[in-house]
Amino acid sequence: IQDGTLFQHIGASLLRVSLGFLLAVVVAVPLGLWMGRVRGAYEALNPVFQMLRPISPIAWIPIAILWFGVGNASPIYLIFISSVFPMMVQTTSGVHTIERRYLRAAENFGVSRALLFRHVVIPAVLPQVIVGMRIGLGVAWLVVVAAEMIALRSGLGYLIIDSRNAGNRYDLVIAGMIIIRLIGLSLDGLMRLLEGLKS
């Protein structure tokens, strides 16, 4: 704290999580809405995503380093790949749970597809989207710490592994673990607050 390096590590981890998570939101939510509404898209893409989803994000680390090298792009990709699937699955599931009578009623009144999405589909699926975001953000925070332990020289994950290697400073290791937990708890609290506002 005194020399400012702790805040640099926290900032680096939060920046990577923010970029990877926001990229996942931009991809997962529209894709989930599309798969939920278009049966052909669901039947074509869902088997592929269900095969990729069970793969541990940690297993992607060698591929990420091979594709993006050692730098910020690798953990951002890992965060993206770990958080995109929960959000996509929740969004698709939310669309599938919308009562069909509401959709048919809107179509009978000649509501355009754009208005149908804005005023019926998106409001109905928003709670499920937020649940998916909460799950995805939790996974993203876990993954960035693991990625920083292997491929980077900044961030809380790097702080922990470097403290262990630099003379077995387990006091710093435990401190890093506590900070990770506190930040993770704060992020989850923000998502629960958002979930409560939209429920």
Side-chain angles (χ1 to χ4, degrees):
I1 292 175
Q2 288 177 347
D3 63 13
T5 55
L6 175 61
F7 299 109
Q8 293 175 9
H9 289 304
I10 292 174
S13 293
L14 288 174
L15 177 63
R16 292 168 188 137
V17 168
S18 299
L19 293 175
F21 180 72
L22 290 176
L23 182 60
V25 171
V26 169
V27 172
V29 174
L31 193 57
L33 291 171
W34 182 49
M35 289 173 60
R37 285 291 293 150
V38 180
R39 184 177 181 84
Y42 180 81
E43 291 177 348
L45 297 177
N46 187 60
V48 177
F49 293 138
Q50 292 303 330
M51 285 189 293
L52 294 174
R53 191 165 63 95
I55 300 173
S56 169
I58 307 303
W60 288 95
I61 288 177
I63 303 297
I65 295 173
L66 178 65
W67 286 349
F68 302 105
V70 177
N72 281 325
S74 291
I76 289 171
Y77 169 76
L78 292 169
I79 292 162
F80 167 80
I81 205 73
S82 65
S83 55
V84 72
F85 293 123
M87 285 186 279
M88 188 172 54
V89 169
Q90 284 294 134
T91 303
T92 304
S93 175
V95 176
H96 285 163
T97 58
I98 299 174
E99 290 194 38
R100 296 299 167 188
R101 57 183 176 143
Y102 296 141
L103 300 176
R104 287 195 295 269
E107 290 169 354
N108 289 338
F109 282 106
V111 175
S112 67
R113 183 169 294 182
L115 284 176
L116 181 67
F117 261 90
R118 282 204 305 269
H119 296 290
V120 179
V121 175
I122 292 178
V125 82
L126 192 56
Q128 292 285 347
V129 172
I130 294 174
V131 170
M133 290 172 63
R134 182 182 173 191
I135 297 170
L137 185 58
V139 176
W141 187 242
L142 293 174
V143 169
V144 73
V145 172
E148 288 170 347
M149 287 182 174
I150 297 170
L152 292 170
R153 299 189 63 82
S154 64
L156 291 170
Y158 170 76
L159 172 64
I160 288 176
I161 202 70
D162 185 59
S163 299
R164 186 267 179 194
N165 293 335
N168 292 330
R169 289 294 309 275
Y170 285 103
D171 54 335
L172 296 180
V173 171
I174 298 300
M177 293 169 62
I178 293 171
I179 292 167
I180 288 167
R181 176 58 187 145
L182 291 175
I183 294 175
L185 188 63
S186 300
L187 293 174
D188 186 69
L190 289 174
M191 294 306 300
R192 281 191 287 110
L193 180 62
L194 182 61
E195 190 177 347
L197 292 174
K198 294 300 181 181
S199 62

